[in-house]
Amino acid sequence: MRLRTLLTYLSLLPLGACTKSCDDYDNAAEFNRAQLPPYTETGAHTMGCRLGPQVWTVLGHHDAGRAIIGGTYWEKNELWAGPFNNFLTPPRVPLLQVMGRMTGVRDSKAFYDMELNMVFHLTDTLGGLRLLGTDTARATTGIQPEAMWANDYLSFSNDYRSRTRRPVRLQIRRLDRQQRIVSGTFEGWLYGGPGGNDSLEVADGRFDVKY
């Protein structure tokens, strides 16, 4: 009887042996040391800004397991740049989307989790200045306007978006179509948050990506 109990325990051990090491994650120290990436124009695949009081850059891991497998699975945050999928009417000038996520976790519990997105026309006309706003005043029917938004994954009601009246100013400083590199700076304000009446300053923004 004892042998059968022992064999049963051993057979279940791989299923129950996942204790703290399987879902433990803590990057609070790294989060507190976060700095803006240097401004470059080499396709270094970086993005950063001051988002409100927080230095924001792509950093940490987010818990993707709850949405996928119902458990804990820490997935690395990575910067992504590529065509924006507009299923309505393709724009005459290509739209590029750049997005990244910053997550701060202490004792396996996130205390900060913000994703930043920007969509803009891939052109350096008008000196490379792009005005990112989401109001319908600048949006042609069926066309995605150039925009920036921040998704707060700790509270889905606290998302922030750019507006036309005070758009985010994005300056494309290098556009190399042969090497597929686009680099630049951005600054402005995002609006939303609880009740939709809050604002979030975007300052010292810089990006350098290959698309």
Side-chain angles (χ1 to χ4, degrees), residues 32-154:
N32 292 333
R33 293 193 305 266
Q35 296 181 349
L36 295 178
Y39 178 77
T40 56
E41 296 182 350
T42 60
H45 213 59
T46 58
M47 180 181 180
C49 66
R50 298 186 185 276
L51 195 57
Q54 176 64 47
V55 171
W56 183 96
T57 188
V58 180
L59 182 143
H61 294 64
H62 66 277
D63 184 3
R66 299 187 188 282
I68 300 174
I69 59 177
T72 300
Y73 171 68
W74 297 107
E75 182 175 330
K76 185 179 180 180
N77 295 336
E78 299 197 41
L79 184 63
W80 182 87
F84 180 79
N85 291 322
N86 189 334
F87 298 105
L88 298 174
T89 305
R92 287 171 294 181
V93 180
L95 278 169
L96 184 74
Q97 181 175 13
V98 182
M99 63 178 179
R101 189 166 176 172
M102 181 180 192
T103 309
V105 180
R106 182 181 293 109
D107 295 331
S108 302
K109 184 175 182 180
F111 59 85
Y112 183 92
D113 197 2
M114 189 76 79
E115 182 183 79
L116 191 62
N117 285 263
M118 56 185 183
V119 174
F120 56 92
H121 288 301
L122 200 58
T123 175
D124 54 3
T125 59
L126 302 176
L129 177 63
R130 312 306 309 165
L131 300 179
L132 310 187
T134 58
D135 292 33
T136 55
R138 291 185 62 246
T140 305
T141 302
I143 299 295
Q144 166 70 29
E146 298 176 277
M148 175 178 283
W149 64 95
N151 296 326
D152 185 351
Y153 283 97
L154 294 186

